[in-house]
Amino acid sequence: MNLNKILVVEDNETMRIGMVETLKREGFKVSEFSNVPQAIEFFKKCQVPLVISDLKMEPIDGMEFLKQVKEIQPKTEVLMISAFGTVQTAVNAMQLGAADFLTKPFSTDELRVRVRKVMNKIQKDEKLDNLKAENSLLQNELFAGQIIGNSPQMQKVFELIECVAKSDSSVLIEGESGTGKELVARAIHQKSNRAEEPFIKVNCGALNDNLLESELFGHEKGSFTNAIRQKKGRFELANKGTIFMDEIGDVSPVMQVSLLRVLQEGQFERVGGEETISVDVRIVSATHRNCQKMIAENKFREDLFYRLNVIPIKLPALRERKSDIPLLAEHFLNKFAEKRKLEPKKISNEGMKLLENYTWFGNIRELENLVERLN
């Protein structure tokens, strides 16, 4: 849903024009109507996160409109306004699902504050819905076939996921690119006591030191060029939940020192800031590199490695679990057939032998790409 849209329904033209102009100056895209029937016809066709409605209108009043809004789009929030506001009227509106009640006359500043308050609630609710949907999808993926494998190697991985999920200990997932490290990290989060809290991912290998520092710890307004506002970092966003640091082996020695402090103390400062921020975050990291070899070469801090590697999970390469290739191939055939609304194709016995004997340097990702090309 586009969170920038507002629908205003007010039969007093002067009042309506004033509200619309105020909201447009705040950057909102506003649709306006003078009566409920026209507004309902528009509302049935367009998703709107926030409706601002007068209470006393003809031929349908604001209370009836509020009921219909909640029936058509239950997640839409409604800010009621009225020159005849009483405590009982406000209570009745809230009981019907109104987010707030504003009594006329009100200033433009008061309107802006109330609208921002409701919009903040909408944003938080949407983030929570997305998180629940993501976690629900993850749960379905985990148990309906996304982490696939009957091989002994994968059964050990499944057992480890179950064993470590309820712990808050740091987990280091090692494995070649394309072996499913992120899926395992998400599965650990989903099965943990933090499942209802955020799962935040950051790809440490895709950013230079300055960008990674800002991404992980956030920054204050004006701390560097283009820092036009304060930004929370991934650690702060992951508070109470799990942060997944992918490609941790690519982090520079300088950033390794900063990470070590967070892991040891659970504290950091935003770039350009002086306030020390404390967080409660579970650390799950992943790498395709050999960290112990990097330690011997003085490229990775030994103390950081042992902080990250409290519980190690080693993912096998696809060539090490060839008995899972038919299961994976069938899963991807069904996945792409369903996506394209086609009957799933079949791979012949000869074709399957070729797949099983191939080296698969790109692992599961390479197999998925091949199957997609076959469809």
Side-chain angles (χ1 to χ4, degrees), residues 58-178:
E58 296 291 344
I60 301 174
D61 67 11
M63 285 293 195
E64 179 60 31
F65 182 42
L66 171 58
K67 292 179 187 176
Q68 294 194 38
V69 165
K70 288 298 181 179
E71 288 174 3
I72 298 167
Q73 295 182 30
K75 291 184 179 180
T76 293
E77 298 291 354
V78 180
L79 172 59
M80 299 297 296
I81 55 175
S82 177
F84 308 97
T86 65
V87 172
Q88 188 57 50
T89 304
V91 169
N92 292 342
M94 297 296 189
Q95 288 176 337
L96 289 174
D100 205 348
F101 193 95
L102 190 54
T103 303
K104 299 177 184 177
F106 49 81
S107 67
T108 56
D109 284 341
E110 189 172 7
L111 176 64
R112 282 196 289 262
V113 168
R114 296 293 187 95
V115 167
R116 285 296 177 189
K117 179 183 175 183
V118 178
M119 279 298 187
N120 286 337
K121 178 183 182 298
I122 293 169
Q123 288 177 336
K124 288 179 181 177
D125 288 346
E126 184 174 60
K127 285 181 180 178
L128 182 60
D129 287 343
N130 290 339
L131 177 63
K132 288 179 178 177
E134 180 182 325
N135 285 343
S136 175
L137 176 63
L138 172 61
Q139 191 171 37
N140 290 336
E141 286 179 345
L142 181 60
F143 296 109
Q146 281 295 322
I147 302 182
I148 296 169
N150 284 332
S151 64
Q153 296 94 325
M154 288 308 297
Q155 292 304 314
K156 287 179 71 174
V157 171
F158 296 149
E159 289 172 9
L160 272 172
I161 291 172
E162 294 286 348
C163 182
V164 308
K166 300 300 182 184
S167 163
D168 273 343
S169 299
S170 298
V171 177
L172 179 61
I173 306 168
E174 294 181 287
E176 296 178 6
S177 295

Side-chain angles (χ1 to χ4, degrees), residues 11-38:
D11 57 1
N12 183 308
E13 184 176 5
T14 302
M15 174 68 73
R16 188 177 69 253
I17 291 173
M19 285 194 295
V20 169
E21 288 303 315
T22 296
L23 295 169
K24 283 184 176 179
R25 283 196 296 270
E26 289 295 295
F28 293 107
K29 183 177 180 181
V30 185
S31 301
E32 57 177 300
F33 294 93
S34 61
N35 61 78
V36 170
Q38 290 179 344

